[in-house]
Amino acid sequence: MGLFDFFKSKPPARASLEQLSYNIAYQVLPHYVFRQAAQLFDIVEKADENSHYLFYHIACKSQEIPSLQEEALQYRWHQFELDADHNLLVLAYPQAAPVDLTGKSLEEVKQSVGTWVLAPHFSGVVRNKTNQHIRYYVLGQTSMGGGTVLREIDDMGTNANLGAGPEPTLDAFVELMRQRLCGQASVS
């Protein structure tokens, strides 16, 4: 080690895959969902292999860390028709390490902050084909009991907890999106 090596900048610490997924779900993707929705749907509908992990690469770039191919390949887009008027894009995130803080004291939780991330399982973008109205949802981990929580992020960045979600499977998430759509139609 040279005399001036101490002053050299150190490379940034590598964010966990859970943290990168969290950044995509709550920071990167909402920007595209609400400001560039048409382009987002175009990118995903092309079914180009690169579209699956584009947002992973963006998250890595924002953290100034290199993308890793083996991580990038774990992100997958899926497309669904919810009904005649709505379609759904779902980004499936890599399997996250389980988090369960049940039974931990407040002190234990405070001491462990930064060692865990409540990672997302899926992000869902619901688009009304007629008026192009967008709704954006995230199904993520909960901190207690190992369940899931459904959140909705709006175009102003408000992150609303909608309560307990289903098991973290693609089929269960898509069914929940259909149910929410039916529930909103009956309220309107």
Side-chain angles (χ1 to χ4, degrees), residues 36-107:
Q36 299 177 10
Q39 293 90 336
L40 172 64
F41 275 80
D42 287 345
I43 288 168
V44 175
E45 288 169 354
K46 285 180 185 173
D48 179 313
E49 193 60 31
N50 294 326
S51 67
H52 292 292
Y53 39 85
L54 170 66
F55 296 98
Y56 164 81
H57 290 299
I58 293 170
C60 286
K61 185 173 175 119
S62 74
Q63 296 281 314
E64 299 179 352
I65 59 174
S67 300
L68 301 176
Q69 189 69 15
E70 63 272 11
E71 288 183 355
L73 293 172
Q74 296 179 57
Y75 292 85
R76 301 306 291 168
W77 280 104
H78 304 273
Q79 301 176 59
F80 301 92
E81 293 287 323
L82 293 178
D83 63 21
D85 297 320
H86 297 87
N87 50 12
L88 169 67
L89 297 181
V90 176
L91 178 58
Y93 295 96
Q95 181 71 37
V99 174
D100 189 356
L101 302 176
T102 305
K104 304 263 187 213
S105 70
L106 181 58
E107 193 58 38

Side-chain angles (χ1 to χ4, degrees), residues 84-86 127-133:
D85 297 320
H86 297 87
R127 177 174 66 174
N128 182 306
K129 294 184 226 177
T130 306
N131 64 18
Q132 302 303 305
H133 181 73

